Amino acid sequence: MLYFYPGPSKLYPQLREYLADAYDSGILSMNHRSTEFVNISKSVISLLKDKLDIPSDYTIFFVSSATESWEIIAQSLTKKGSMHIFNGAFGQKWGEYAHKIHQKATYLQFDLHENLLDKILDDGTQNSKESNNFDVVCLTQNETSNGTQIDNKTIKAITEKYNQCLIAVDVTSSMGGIELGWENADIWLASVQKCLGLPAGLGLLICSPKAIKQATNINENKYYNSLIFLHENMQKFQTNYTPNVLNIYLLKRVLEQIENIKIINKRIKNNAQNWYHFLQQYGFDLLVKNEELRSDTVIAVRGEEGFIRQIKDKAKEANIILGNGYGDWKNTTFRIANFPAITDEEIHFLKDFLIK
Ligand SMILES: *Cc1c(COP(=O)(O)O)cnc(C)c1O
């Protein structure tokens, strides 16, 4: 089977061996306060910083999912409220989860075909009364549901505009696939079952010194996953509860194996260009019309319900799993993951199938 679902997605084939190694090494029976675990945890943090070019003064936390990070941000980093800028289902869900926790979420929704940078620059609310109602601005950099992305330049403009706030960015379906401007935001969150080619069940939450300071000031300590507890433990490369040691081990092995993000970024962007070019050439209707807004890692193709159903069924017969549509586009799109674990050969196989 070839997996083009945008998460969980194709696993790196080396995982078969890494899984056996994990078993044989005995690490899975070790306590999460043991030196053995701490050493693995330490290497993962340093490999993440090294391979993904994450600034050395940012703190990386192990959590269980991207969804958990949404909640941690709402619980431990939000005092006045959060403002959610989104154009799709994941960004919206984040806003709804946050609102359930603190009842202080506001929303800035933009259109699928709208360039967020223009909207942000045109919007006259700079440092106005309105922005006194929130201290965290939440963005979904890669909106997996519709295949749009927000570029580094736009994130930077948002950071400059809301410079009193923390900027939190969901990069669940792009971290490990493309280069991100880490310095442009304070909080980044992702999980490993997308661009990192691992099984689900491990999330990464990355915080700037400014975000850690805010957590310390707020000092929220009501939950098992309150950020100050996570931070206390992470100073010793530990977690507050027994973490997904298997996935942390596998992440270490995958990080050792992959190239630096600059190299991966080139390949992914090049593949994305080729995908969009190919799809247009063969008459497929792309969901995202403005090429500047198209995602590099998740490609959405639009069509009539019948056509979409037929192509997904036929693909399955040919041992190819395409991504279903999501949210508003559930029945009228299919999605193709352009994740680093997918090989050129597999992409050619899918292209051949689509031509027929
Ligand atoms: C997949 C995804 C999530 C949810 O990830 P979990 O690890 O299942 O919590 C959140 N945001 C985006 C953008 C996603 O693509």
Side-chain angles (χ1 to χ4, degrees):
M1 269 296 178
L2 301 186
Y3 299 95
F4 286 92
Y5 209 99
S9 196
K10 189 200 165 191
L11 303 179
Y12 278 106
Q14 292 88 338
L15 278 175
R16 210 185 150 86
E17 177 196 330
Y18 300 162
L19 281 159
D21 291 349
Y23 182 94
D24 292 341
S25 76
I27 187 65
L28 304 180
S29 303
M30 297 299 290
N31 178 290
H32 64 294
R33 312 259 172 237
S34 66
T35 322
E36 287 80 357
F37 172 75
V38 167
N39 285 341
I40 291 177
S41 165
K42 232 185 244 178
S43 336
V44 171
I45 302 300
S46 110
L47 281 160
L48 279 167
K49 290 186 173 174
D50 182 35
K51 290 288 170 88
L52 302 185
D53 292 341
I54 299 170
S56 59
D57 61 347
Y58 279 41
T59 310
I60 303 174
F61 300 101
F62 297 121
V63 294
S64 59
S65 65
T67 308
E68 188 188 355
S69 291
W70 291 345
E71 293 213 341
I72 293 172
I73 294 164
Q75 289 164 187
S76 300
L77 288 164
T78 310
K79 198 169 186 176
K80 289 194 263 180
S82 51
M83 209 265 281
H84 298 261
I85 304 178
F86 63 88
N87 73 353
F90 284 100
Q92 180 171 5
K93 234 197 238 180
W94 183 0
E96 289 163 2
Y97 274 64
H99 195 70
K100 276 195 251 176
I101 288 176
H102 53 50
Q103 286 85 45
K104 290 179 291 198
T106 50
Y107 308 109
L108 178 68
Q109 192 163 3
F110 63 106
D111 189 79
L112 177 66
H113 305 295
E114 190 174 358
N115 192 328
L116 180 60
L117 185 59
D118 299 337
K119 193 180 179 85
I120 293 294
L121 296 179
D122 287 351
D123 184 16
T125 58
Q126 178 137 17
N127 293 328
S128 69
K129 218 164 70 224
E130 185 217 2
S131 68
N132 290 330
N133 299 333
F134 49 85
D135 41 15
V136 183
V137 175
C138 302
L139 295 173
T140 303
Q141 185 273 328
N142 199 68
E143 180 48 81
T144 322
S145 68
N146 59 25
T148 56
Q149 72 182 1
I150 301 175
D151 61 20
N152 291 337
K153 196 171 67 191
T154 305
I155 296 180
K156 193 157 183 225
I158 291 170
T159 302
E160 283 163 7
K161 175 160 178 170
Y162 300 106
N163 58 8
Q164 319 279 12
C165 298
L166 293 177
I167 311 298
V169 192
D170 182 335
V171 284
T172 307
S173 53
S174 54
M175 190 177 120
I178 59 165
E179 274 189 281
L180 298 163
W182 302 108
E183 313 274 1
N184 295 336
D186 303 291
I187 307 157
W188 299 84
L189 64 100
S191 43
V192 299
Q193 74 274 20
K194 303 199 178 168
C195 285
L196 289 163
L198 285 159
L202 176 66
L204 298 167
L205 174 63
I206 303 172
C207 293
S208 72
K210 186 175 159 194
I212 298 293
K213 206 164 149 206
Q214 173 126 330
T216 314
N217 287 341
I218 295 178
N219 201 30
E220 179 280 304
N221 63 2
K222 282 192 299 217
Y223 304 98
Y224 80 98
N225 57 1
S226 294
L227 193 53
I228 55 166
F229 298 151
L230 266 67
H231 188 239
E232 255 169 53
N233 278 283
M234 210 32 170
Q235 315 252 293
K236 299 172 283 181
F237 296 93
Q238 291 179 14
T239 52
N240 35 339
Y241 59 89
T242 319
N244 189 336
V245 178
L246 174 58
N247 231 338
I248 293 171
Y249 173 88
L250 297 174
L251 176 57
K252 172 174 181 275
R253 298 294 302 268
V254 163
L255 288 168
E256 283 166 348
Q257 159 206 317
I258 63 173
E259 293 162 295
N260 179 275
I261 192 65
K262 289 193 183 71
I263 298 169
I264 297 176
N265 178 72
K266 264 196 206 125
R267 180 162 62 87
I268 291 299
K269 293 216 156 140
N270 190 37
N271 286 349
Q273 284 303 314
N274 292 340
W275 261 124
Y276 286 120
H277 181 79
F278 167 89
L279 289 164
Q280 283 172 306
Q281 187 187 354
Y282 286 94
F284 287 90
D285 186 13
L286 297 171
L287 177 63
V288 185
K289 303 294 174 215
N290 182 344
E291 41 182 301
E292 284 178 51
L293 310 182
R294 286 177 193 151
S295 165
D296 290 312
T297 53
V298 179
I299 293 154
V301 181
R302 204 172 70 153
E304 304 269 311
E305 272 193 52
F307 169 75
I308 297 293
R309 198 178 324 114
Q310 194 189 18
I311 202 157
K312 283 189 305 191
D313 289 348
K314 286 225 165 113
K316 207 162 179 184
E317 283 167 30
N319 290 327
I320 298 169
I321 305 287
L322 291 173
N324 291 330
Y326 197 99
D328 291 348
W329 300 279
K330 192 170 172 49
N331 299 318
T332 51
T333 57
F334 69 85
R335 293 173 301 157
I336 303 169
N338 180 33
F339 292 168
I342 297 167
T343 63
D344 289 349
E345 233 178 354
E346 291 168 332
I347 294 172
H348 285 154
F349 192 86
L350 175 53
K351 285 183 177 168
D352 281 347
F353 164 80
L354 290 172
I355 292 171
K356 287 184 226 141

